[in-house]
Amino acid sequence: MSEASGSRRWRDQRWIIDDHVRALGIEFDQNRLRYSLGPVRDETSAADIGILRSSIRKLGDLSPLSMAHARRHEALAARMEDRGHATTAGVHWFAAAQLWLLAAYPIWETTDELVDLHRRKTAAFNRWAAVAAHRVEQVDVPFGDGALPGWLHLPADARDGTPLPVLVASDGMDGGRESLVNRVGDEYLQNGFAVLAIDGPGQSEAAVRGIFTSPENWAAAGDAIVRWIDTRADLDGNRVVTTGISFGSYFMSLLSAVTPRIRGCAVVLQCFEPGAHAIFERAAPGYKSRHMWMAGLEHDEDAFDELVARYDLREQITGMSCPWYVLGGEADELCDKRWVYAMTRLCPTPASSLLYEGATHAIDDSPASALGPFFRTEIADWLADRVTDDAPDATNTHRLVTRGGEIVPASVPD
């Protein structure tokens, strides 16, 4: 990354970031190893997480070490294939794809290296898809003069001729579409959804393709996605729901609020503060620097500040026509819980929340997340109700998961 890219705080305080990594580990600001490698759902992910945690001593170590472990998994996959064990090889291809994606995270300019990392990631993911326990297709959703990259996951027991309900899923700033569906035992697939895991405007490979984030682009993405779903006979365009993680909570809430055919929206790790001051001006400067690249403004912080001043869900949420469900940390440092309650009050449709007591944006740093309901299961079940005709109606309910795992009514400020 060039010296001129990224935020001013990033360029001035890089040494502080490296000090934090040395003292607290690479996950000092996010549990990125867990959410990057957890979808592998195999003992290899625990080994990779442990090795990377112990060996990364500065941010500059993340890419080369992730790349080294990606190559190691690819070598193991080739060895298994030579022995005739393609399914076992698939575990390593999937892990390699996640590691190539992880290696791309701290590269906040579209360089030849970044393009190559995404090429390797896609190639590895396709090698896994060829032997996956469910059907996986690489897809492109036409958008403007280009296309949003996606993976379409279909349940293993999907029957030919029966259109499936569709869950459109997006990540936040740090990850990509490859880590949105677990290799095995995925909660969304188990609920009967076809999952369109997509890189929306500015996310991961979409930014590499020159499709950048803006409120306007995310608003336009909803219609583009629904139009694409309508081209598929195996997908039910009248039963479409959405989910987003972290900054994807803002992106997918905005998209759902302006796309009338969405039947339900459930998001986690809230990022609703108008103007996003906490995450971009008070939190670790890497957040802002990466988002500047997502906006195509990695060399123009002033223009970026003008852009994010328009990140204001209050302007769209009043148009929401589907039920909305927000899950997150009760002590989220990147978006105060008061913005969850403020936005749900403005929402004209049933709007509920489930916050985990004492949890920050990482959500798994409180016993509430371990002892209470798992957020993916909660989202999957709630969204399944939105596409089931005889399911209970959504309600306006605000709940808190205590540190002991008990679910109690939340104390909502006036």
Side-chain angles (χ1 to χ4, degrees):
M1 190 162 60
S2 73
E3 292 297 321
S5 65
S7 69
R8 287 179 283 272
R9 281 203 306 135
W10 166 255
R11 297 195 301 272
D12 292 345
Q13 299 175 5
R14 174 67 181 270
W15 66 275
I16 299 177
I17 302 302
D18 287 340
D19 275 358
H20 273 65
V21 173
R22 275 188 289 273
L24 304 172
I26 189 59
E27 295 177 295
F28 75 96
D29 61 339
Q30 276 285 4
N31 53 349
R32 60 176 46 86
L33 298 182
R34 180 176 170 185
Y35 66 63
S36 295
L37 294 166
V40 179
R41 293 204 171 179
D42 180 88
E43 62 269 18
T44 59
S45 65
D48 286 333
I49 290 170
I51 292 169
L52 288 170
R53 277 178 178 161
S54 63
S55 56
I56 295 173
R57 306 301 299 159
K58 59 184 182 300
L59 184 61
D61 294 336
L62 179 58
S63 289
L65 287 173
S66 297
M67 292 162 64
H69 287 288
R71 294 189 188 96
R72 177 175 60 82
H73 276 288
E74 292 192 347
L76 287 167
R79 181 169 173 251
M80 298 301 174
E81 288 172 341
D82 289 343
R83 293 181 173 185
H85 298 293
T87 301
T88 304
V91 179
H92 294 289
W93 285 119
F94 187 91
Q98 307 307 319
L99 286 157
W100 291 122
L101 178 62
L102 181 61
Y105 158 71
I107 302 175
W108 303 327
E109 288 183 298
T110 303
T111 61
D112 290 344
E113 180 185 26
L114 183 61
V115 171
D116 186 59
L117 287 172
H118 281 285
R119 180 188 64 79
R120 290 174 177 269
K121 171 210 66 180
T122 301
F125 204 81
N126 268 312
R127 295 292 289 270
W128 164 71
V131 297
H134 63 274
R135 200 168 108 212
V136 186
E137 296 180 33
Q138 184 177 358
V139 300
D140 283 320
V141 175
F143 184 79
D145 295 330
L148 298 172
W151 296 103
L152 179 64
H153 299 257
L154 300 173
D157 58 355
R159 295 190 296 273
D160 291 339
T162 304
L164 295 166
V166 185
L167 192 162
V168 183
S170 88
D171 212 315
M173 294 197 300
D174 298 354
R177 67 196 190 279
E178 288 75 20
S179 53
L180 287 165
V181 174
N182 295 312
R183 183 183 63 85
V184 293
D186 185 81
E187 295 82 1
Y188 303 145
L189 295 175
Q190 289 175 345
N191 269 274
F193 285 109
V195 181
L196 175 60
I198 197 159
D199 288 337
Q203 293 181 314
S204 194
E205 200 169 327
V208 173
R209 294 183 179 189
I211 302 174
F212 300 118
T213 182
S214 71
E216 294 76 18
N217 275 351
W218 274 96
D223 283 342
I225 290 168
V226 170
R227 283 196 302 271
W228 180 85
I229 290 171
D230 284 341
T231 68
R232 302 273 308 209
D234 53 350
L235 304 181
D236 188 345
N238 292 315
R239 292 193 294 161
V240 180
V241 294
T242 61
T243 189
I245 303 171
S246 193
F247 226 95
S249 69
Y250 164 73
F251 293 145
M252 293 304 277
S253 296
L254 185 159
L255 179 153
S256 301
V258 300
T259 309
R261 283 172 60 186
I262 302 299
R263 294 276 294 269
C265 174
V267 297
V268 62
L269 313 187
Q270 69 267 15
C271 282
F272 302 147
E273 181 192 12
H277 182 81
I279 188 171
F280 291 143
E281 301 302 336
R282 292 204 301 265
Y287 291 116
K288 187 174 187 179
S289 295
R290 180 162 179 87
H291 211 104
M292 287 171 63
W293 168 75
M294 291 171 61
L297 298 169
E298 64 266 33
H299 300 289
D300 193 340
E301 187 168 359
D302 291 338
F304 177 77
D305 290 343
E306 293 177 6
L307 170 70
V308 297
R310 296 190 285 111
Y311 279 11
D312 192 342
L313 192 59
R314 292 174 298 186
E315 298 182 7
Q316 293 87 20
I317 201 65
T318 56
M320 183 77 84
S321 59
C322 68
W324 189 39
Y325 190 21
V326 181
L327 299 87
E330 179 260 344
D332 194 315
E333 77 283 15
L334 303 183
C335 176
D336 191 279
K337 66 181 179 182
R338 66 190 175 93
W339 290 113
V340 173
Y341 299 132
M343 297 302 174
T344 54
R345 272 196 291 268
L346 291 172
C347 184
T349 56
S352 301
S353 68
L354 181 71
L355 302 186
Y356 293 80
E357 186 179 25
T360 64
H361 194 73
I363 211 171
D364 64 356
D365 57 353
S366 166
S369 63
L371 301 177
F374 181 40
F375 74 82
R376 281 180 66 94
T377 303
E378 186 76 11
I379 287 173
D381 290 348
W382 187 88
L383 288 175
D385 285 345
R386 306 287 73 78
V387 296
T388 304
D389 291 337
D390 58 355
D393 291 336
T395 59
N396 291 296
T397 305
H398 297 284
R399 298 171 298 158
L400 179 74
V401 182
T402 69
R403 288 179 173 87
E406 184 182 4
I407 302 175
V408 300
S411 177
V412 180
D414 294 332

